Amino acid sequence: MGKLLLIDGNSLMHRAYYAIPTLTTSKGVPTNAVYGFTNMLFKLLKEEKPDFVAVAFDKKAPTFRHLEFEEYKATRAKAPEELLGQFSILKEILSAMNIKFLEIEGFEADDVLGTLSKKAEEEGLFTLIVTGDKDALQLVSEKTHVMLTKKGITEMEVYDPEKFVNKYEFSPQFLPDMKGLMGDASDNIPGVPGVGEKTAIKLLKEYQNLENLYNALSAEKDERVKGKLKDNLLAYKEQALKSKRLATIIRDVPLNLDFNELKIKGPDREKLINLFRELEFNTLIKRLAESADGSGERKQLEKVLQIEEIYKEEGNN
């Protein structure tokens, strides 16, 4: 069984930007986010040894969620210009590494990851999704695990179905139902007023999903939910169902893609090294040189890199 590594580009770039102190080239180009992301990517490729890899990004255009709910993510602060400018640099690096990156208009990176992981499951592949967004936990299954950043980009926690159930007490696919009940402040998803995480989990343990819950509430003989809680649930039924839809990752994004396009290939080392030189990523150049296979390839690299300069103490980094 092959292994697919999927990376949430936006999430990890934001994490890296805030985790790593200000870093710029001698020309004043900010590089901290792309430096942190690339270091993490190298580490993941070395430790996880995937057969396939892809990075997903959000598109600037409004998604179907924004069209359905104008206030979706409206409370989020705008990303700093110093971060936004680094995405194009990262995409250049990914291209030089022969790593496919995907961004689909009308959908978020989560939807692309959800669609790819579903296709991978159908193909019999094991998938590891790397992200800082807990929404991705709804994708956890026996064949899809989620590696969640806990602190910055150094501490990671891997979720499989057992770990998820131990934490939330219900199955991963019902995470959107919990968001439908309690909302999600980070995405400005409203949920039901007065319902927090403990109450949402209790209800889901009892009813499994929102549809079962509301069917029960409409049945006069069901007395398990009473009082103000029942009143709120009934009063905000449509809002709860809409919140669930907003929190649900789409798994059928139209992707005209063959998994062979995601197969691990060797990087264009000369192009990558030239990029790293321009960005003054001296440590990454050294790591790339050390990973070269075969004496012929190493000699070629030494010619390109002028290797005696590489092993000096790095300046900016």
Side-chain angles (χ1 to χ4, degrees), residues 98-111:
N98 288 314
I99 290 177
K100 185 88 170 176
F101 62 86
L102 300 154
E103 43 192 353
I104 309 298
E105 190 165 328
F107 298 94
E108 296 180 60
D110 279 353
D111 301 314

Side-chain angles (χ1 to χ4, degrees), residues 127-181:
T127 301
L128 179 65
I129 298 173
V130 184
T131 181
D133 188 348
K134 290 182 179 179
D135 285 347
L137 293 177
Q138 66 190 265
L139 303 174
V140 168
S141 70
E142 292 298 335
K143 288 186 177 179
T144 299
H145 294 177
V146 172
M147 180 181 282
L148 204 62
T149 54
K150 287 183 65 180
K151 184 179 180 182
I153 55 171
T154 54
E155 292 185 29
M156 312 290 282
E157 189 172 20
V158 178
Y159 279 81
D160 58 12
E162 182 180 3
K163 186 175 182 67
F164 183 94
V165 173
N166 285 341
K167 182 177 176 64
Y168 291 102
E169 302 181 70
F170 57 83
S171 297
Q173 67 265 35
F174 301 118
L175 184 61
D177 296 85
M178 185 174 83
K179 297 290 182 76
L181 289 166

Side-chain angles (χ1 to χ4, degrees), residues 215-224 230:
N215 285 339
L217 290 178
S218 63
E220 295 182 4
K221 293 181 180 180
D222 193 310
E223 296 291 331
R224 288 174 288 179
K230 182 175 183 179

Side-chain angles (χ1 to χ4, degrees), residues 195-304:
V195 176
E197 183 172 318
K198 287 183 179 179
T199 302
I201 290 174
K202 182 180 177 182
L203 289 170
L204 290 177
K205 285 172 66 178
E206 187 72 39
Y207 295 98
Q208 191 176 65
N209 59 40
L210 276 186
E211 289 72 21
N212 289 346
L213 169 62
Y214 279 108
N215 285 339
L217 290 178
S218 63
E220 295 182 4
K221 293 181 180 180
D222 193 310
E223 296 291 331
R224 288 174 288 179
V225 180
K226 303 176 183 179
K228 188 175 181 180
L229 174 59
K230 182 175 183 179
D231 293 340
N232 277 357
L233 287 168
L234 289 172
Y236 291 93
K237 176 181 178 180
E238 291 308 313
Q239 184 166 289
L241 294 172
K242 177 181 282 190
S243 295
K244 176 182 175 177
R245 286 196 301 274
L246 294 173
T248 300
I249 291 175
I250 301 302
R251 308 197 72 180
D252 57 357
V253 174
L255 295 177
N256 186 18
L257 184 74
D258 188 298
F259 271 107
N260 286 326
E261 297 177 52
L262 308 184
K263 197 154 191 173
I264 289 283
K265 307 176 184 70
D268 182 332
R269 291 180 183 271
E270 185 171 346
K271 184 177 179 182
L272 190 56
I273 286 163
N274 286 335
L275 273 171
F276 286 171
R277 268 181 163 172
E278 185 179 340
L279 296 167
E280 299 167 16
F281 287 173
N282 298 324
T283 298
L284 291 178
I285 293 174
K286 179 179 175 180
R287 287 174 64 181
L288 191 62
E290 289 173 343
S291 70
D293 297 324
S295 59
E297 187 177 23
R298 182 170 291 281
K299 283 179 181 178
Q300 182 184 10
L301 275 171
E302 288 174 358
K303 184 178 178 181
V304 174

Side-chain angles (χ1 to χ4, degrees), residues 68-131:
E68 182 171 338
F69 183 54
E70 191 175 344
E71 297 302 307
Y72 179 67
K73 292 189 176 181
T75 54
R76 285 196 179 185
K78 186 179 178 183
E81 290 298 324
E82 292 81 2
L83 168 59
L84 294 175
Q86 296 185 54
F87 279 89
S88 59
I89 298 172
L90 175 61
K91 290 170 185 177
E92 284 187 71
I93 290 173
L94 293 174
S95 294
M97 292 181 72
N98 288 314
I99 290 177
K100 185 88 170 176
F101 62 86
L102 300 154
E103 43 192 353
I104 309 298
E105 190 165 328
F107 298 94
E108 296 180 60
D110 279 353
D111 301 314
V112 176
L113 298 175
T115 299
L116 285 173
S117 61
K118 182 182 178 184
K119 287 180 180 291
E121 289 183 358
E122 293 167 353
E123 294 285 335
L125 299 175
F126 172 79
T127 301
L128 179 65
I129 298 173
V130 184
T131 181

